């Protein structure tokens, strides 16, 4: 890798986030075709302020339809997800909608935190009519392991605040510990005789963070 393109201290620059985000989106599109691709949303006005001309933005994965399974699986607790598409498909027999008999949709954004210098996962849930879901309702859609963590530390694990670019309340996974455990991963790579390239930062990060909201990445993405 080129100099300056390795992860040393667990943090990212704005430029590093842009590189890592595009690499993550490319790997996701190649290895995870069961879900739509992540889209890069450029922030034109903010980009013009950057002296190095590096485009600033965030990743977006939206309109993910959550379906509740009739039988809980002990082997795979990932969310049963489907996507909205133009093709008409018959409902899958082994899935049902939530208890209110209404679909729940989710939007996910990966945003760079200038204060923590790490990526942050923002998300929101809403009904088909656009009404936002409360955290209590969202917890029913989360994997059971996530619910257990929420019960132990509710507002230090998932918090709600204004989306930094959309100026609307979204939930987010608090990034306070991200730098430390990414640093451990990078140090493990150094011990093995190599350094974690910045292109794998978001892949490694999302392999942990994504499981909280039921979005697991294929192992091929880690290669």
């Amino acid at each position: 890798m080129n100099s300056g393109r390795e992860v040393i201290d667990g943090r990212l620059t704005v430029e590093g986030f842009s590189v890592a985000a595009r690499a993550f989106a490319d790997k996701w599109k190649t290895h995870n075709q069961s879900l739509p691709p992540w889209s890069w949303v450029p922030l034109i006005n903010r980009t013009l302020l950057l002296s190095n001309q590096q485009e600033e933005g965030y990743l977006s994965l939206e309109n993910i339809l959550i379906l509740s399974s009739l039988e809980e699986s002990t082997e795979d607790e990932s969310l049963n997800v489907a996507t909205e598409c133009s093709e008409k498909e018959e409902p899958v027999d082994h899935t049902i909608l939530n208890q209110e008999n209404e679909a729940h949709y989710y939007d996910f954004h990966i945003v760079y935190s200038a204060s923590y210098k790490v990526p942050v996962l923002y998300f929101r849930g809403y009904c088909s009519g656009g009404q936002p879901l409360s955290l209590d309702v969202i917890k029913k859609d989360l994997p059971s392991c996530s619910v257990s963590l929420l019960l132990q530390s509710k507002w230090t694990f998932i918090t709600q605040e204004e989306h930094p670019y959309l100026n609307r309340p979204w939930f987010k996974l608090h990034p306070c510990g991200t730098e430390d455990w990414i640093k451990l991963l990078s140090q493990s790579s150094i011990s093995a005789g190599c350094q974690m390239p910045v292109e794998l930062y978001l892949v490694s990060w999302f392999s942990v963070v994504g499981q909280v909201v039921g979005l697991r990445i294929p192992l091929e993405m880690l290669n």
Side-chain angles (χ1 to χ4, degrees), residues 163-201:
H163 190 291
Y165 304 127
L166 303 182
N167 300 320
R168 293 195 296 269
W170 281 52
F171 293 103
K172 78 171 186 179
L173 302 184
H174 202 280
C176 58
T178 299
E179 177 185 341
D180 291 335
W181 60 263
I182 288 291
K183 186 186 299 183
L184 289 176
L185 286 178
S186 62
Q187 289 174 348
S188 297
S189 298
I190 293 175
S191 299
C194 60
Q195 290 182 323
M196 179 191 296
V198 70
E199 287 85 352
L200 285 182
Y201 187 109

Side-chain angles (χ1 to χ4, degrees), residues 68-78 94 99 140 142-145 147:
S68 301
S69 178
L70 281 170
E71 297 180 359
E72 293 187 0
S73 171
T74 58
E75 297 181 356
D76 185 0
E77 291 184 332
S78 294
H94 65 275
Q99 292 181 351
K140 297 178 182 179
L142 291 175
S144 59
C145 60
V147 175

Side-chain angles (χ1 to χ4, degrees), residues 13-211:
T13 62
V14 175
E15 297 81 5
F17 174 76
S18 177
V19 171
R22 295 172 189 279
F24 172 81
D26 288 342
K27 281 180 171 288
W28 179 279
K29 184 177 181 179
T30 300
H31 299 293
N32 202 354
Q33 298 181 3
S34 62
L35 287 173
W38 288 83
S39 300
W40 176 258
V41 180
L43 302 171
I44 304 300
N45 293 336
R46 295 173 65 91
T47 297
L48 294 176
L49 299 177
L50 298 178
S51 58
N52 58 7
Q53 300 301 310
Q54 180 67 50
E55 183 182 61
E56 187 175 356
Y58 61 90
L59 286 175
S60 173
L61 178 68
E62 299 190 344
N63 297 322
I64 303 301
L65 172 62
I66 302 300
L67 301 176
S68 301
S69 178
L70 281 170
E71 297 180 359
E72 293 187 0
S73 171
T74 58
E75 297 181 356
D76 185 0
E77 291 184 332
S78 294
L79 292 180
N80 187 358
V81 297
T83 58
E84 286 290 277
C85 60
S86 59
E87 297 178 0
K88 293 183 179 180
E89 297 179 352
E90 292 297 325
V92 181
D93 292 338
H94 65 275
T95 59
I96 59 173
L97 297 181
N98 58 73
Q99 292 181 351
E100 289 74 23
N101 200 31
E102 187 174 13
H104 287 173
Y105 297 85
Y106 281 82
D107 295 341
F108 302 95
H109 289 174
I110 299 176
V111 177
Y112 178 74
S113 169
S115 55
Y116 285 94
K117 293 181 169 40
V118 296
V120 182
L121 181 64
Y122 283 81
F123 66 96
R124 71 181 185 116
Y126 49 96
C127 302
S128 58
Q131 300 88 343
L133 301 179
S134 67
L135 182 58
D136 288 336
V137 174
I138 289 175
K139 285 194 298 184
K140 297 178 182 179
D141 290 335
L142 291 175
S144 59
C145 60
S146 300
V147 175
S148 298
L149 288 171
L150 284 172
L151 291 174
Q152 296 173 16
S153 55
K154 185 175 182 179
W155 292 112
T156 57
F157 185 64
I158 291 183
T159 60
Q160 186 179 37
E161 64 179 45
E162 189 175 90
H163 190 291
Y165 304 127
L166 303 182
N167 300 320
R168 293 195 296 269
W170 281 52
F171 293 103
K172 78 171 186 179
L173 302 184
H174 202 280
C176 58
T178 299
E179 177 185 341
D180 291 335
W181 60 263
I182 288 291
K183 186 186 299 183
L184 289 176
L185 286 178
S186 62
Q187 289 174 348
S188 297
S189 298
I190 293 175
S191 299
C194 60
Q195 290 182 323
M196 179 191 296
V198 70
E199 287 85 352
L200 285 182
Y201 187 109
L202 255 65
V203 176
S204 301
W205 168 80
F206 201 78
S207 68
V208 177
V209 172
Q211 293 186 54

